[in-house]
């Protein structure tokens, strides 16, 4: 990763607000993790890149992101999850454009990848859906970690449901249990779910990620 010292020198007449920090990455290096999205064994699970604060661990908002290679330029539309929407393309890997990401200058950010449910998730979930995701999440994390990852990595025990900052209320289950939304997210421990439980969410989540027990 390289911070861009002179964005104007690299991008000609394109200008950016002084309050923004711009980072530059090599597409081919980012491709190294993205390529796992094409593997078998986790049809509902993928990996995505985020900018993450080195101080708080929270996701940094992306104000702009784009790719550039000589005269070719493409700007990305950033989703509510703040995932970097990079295309997965072998030809792009060979061309190897630079990827630029702009975040607030007040935040010290770095790029990080995260395992996620990559299918649309609505305002209802079932316990069976969650249980189906867990082994797929484990498979993806083992693929990312290499051949010995399964020896040391705890198994996924549940999911973290992430909401937008405007989300209010709680998650309720058909068993009568409530799940508190704290700091825009809620943890669902699959071991505490019955066989045919329906979860009702206050709004569609922006992402769903693995929850691993802290003590392994």
């Amino acid at each position: 990763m390289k911070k861009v010292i002179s964005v104007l020198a690299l991008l000609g007449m394109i200008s950016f607000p002084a309050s923004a920090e711009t980072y530059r990455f090599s597409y081919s290096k980012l491709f190294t993790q993205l390529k796992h999205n094409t593997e078998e064994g986790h049809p509902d699970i993928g990996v995505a890149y985020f900018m993450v604060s080195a101080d708080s661990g929270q996701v940094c908002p992306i104000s702009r992101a784009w790719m550039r290679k000589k005269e070719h330029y493409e700007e990305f539309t950033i989703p509510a999850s703040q995932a970097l929407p990079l295309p997965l393309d072998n030809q792009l890997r060979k061309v190897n454009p630079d990827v630029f990401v702009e975040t607030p200058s007040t935040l010290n950010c770095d790029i990080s990848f995260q395992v996620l449910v990559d299918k649309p998730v609505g305002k209802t979930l079932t316990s069976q859906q969650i249980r189906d995701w867990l082994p797929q999440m484990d498979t993806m994390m083992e693929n990312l970690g290499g051949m010995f990852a399964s020896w040391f990595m705890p198994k996924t025990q549940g999911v973290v449901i992430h909401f937008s900052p405007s989300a209010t209320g709680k998650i309720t289950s058909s068993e009568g249990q409530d799940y508190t939304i704290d700091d825009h997210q809620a943890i669902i421990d699959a071991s505490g779910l019955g066989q045919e439980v329906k979860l009702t969410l206050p709004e569609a989540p922006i992402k769903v990620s693995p929850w691993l027990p802290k003590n392994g």
Side-chain angles (χ1 to χ4, degrees):
M1 180 194 72
K2 298 178 181 178
K3 288 189 179 181
V4 178
I5 297 174
S6 176
V7 177
L8 294 179
L10 289 169
L11 300 183
M13 297 302 294
I14 299 174
S15 61
F16 304 93
S19 60
E21 190 78 72
T22 305
Y23 298 83
R24 183 177 64 191
F25 307 95
S26 162
Y27 177 87
S28 63
K29 290 186 177 179
L30 300 179
F31 182 89
T32 301
Q33 305 301 345
L34 288 179
K35 67 182 181 184
H36 292 288
N37 286 337
T38 64
E39 297 170 340
E40 297 182 355
H42 45 78
D44 302 317
I45 305 301
V47 63
Y49 282 101
F50 296 85
M51 297 301 292
V52 177
S53 167
D55 302 316
S56 68
Q58 298 297 310
V59 172
C60 297
I62 298 175
S63 52
R64 289 187 67 199
W66 64 97
M67 286 193 302
R68 188 176 182 93
K69 183 70 174 184
K70 296 182 179 179
E71 72 275 13
H72 299 288
Y73 173 90
E74 181 180 349
E75 187 157 348
F76 300 125
T77 299
I78 307 301
S81 66
Q82 297 300 303
L84 183 61
L86 287 172
L88 181 58
D89 190 301
N90 265 308
Q91 187 60 37
L92 275 178
R93 179 181 60 82
K94 296 174 183 177
V95 174
N96 195 24
D98 288 326
V99 177
F100 298 89
V101 183
E102 183 183 281
T103 64
S105 62
T106 54
L107 300 174
N108 179 23
C109 304
D110 202 349
I111 199 161
S112 178
F113 62 85
Q114 186 174 23
V115 173
L116 301 168
V117 175
D118 68 355
K119 305 293 185 183
V121 178
K123 294 176 64 175
T124 59
L125 281 175
T126 66
S127 54
Q128 189 58 54
Q129 277 180 287
I130 293 174
R131 290 194 178 91
D132 288 344
W133 289 336
L134 304 190
Q136 296 184 50
M137 289 174 168
D138 288 335
T139 297
M140 173 61 94
M141 289 188 286
E142 288 171 11
N143 290 347
L144 290 165
M147 63 183 298
F148 299 114
S150 61
W151 293 8
F152 310 104
M153 187 177 298
K155 296 296 183 183
T156 307
Q157 190 168 312
V159 295
V160 183
I161 303 180
H162 304 255
F163 294 96
S164 68
S166 62
T168 58
K170 56 192 175 183
I171 297 174
T172 61
S173 79
S174 55
E175 291 182 320
Q177 182 178 356
D178 293 339
Y179 296 88
T180 301
I181 297 174
D182 183 24
D183 196 20
H184 320 308
Q185 61 186 36
I187 294 173
I188 308 295
D189 185 344
S191 66
L193 292 175
Q195 290 301 312
E196 297 181 1
V197 176
K198 178 180 177 181
L199 300 176
T200 302
L201 286 56
E203 63 177 41
I206 58 174
K207 64 180 179 179
V208 179
S209 62
W211 177 67
L212 283 71
K214 292 183 179 180
N215 296 326

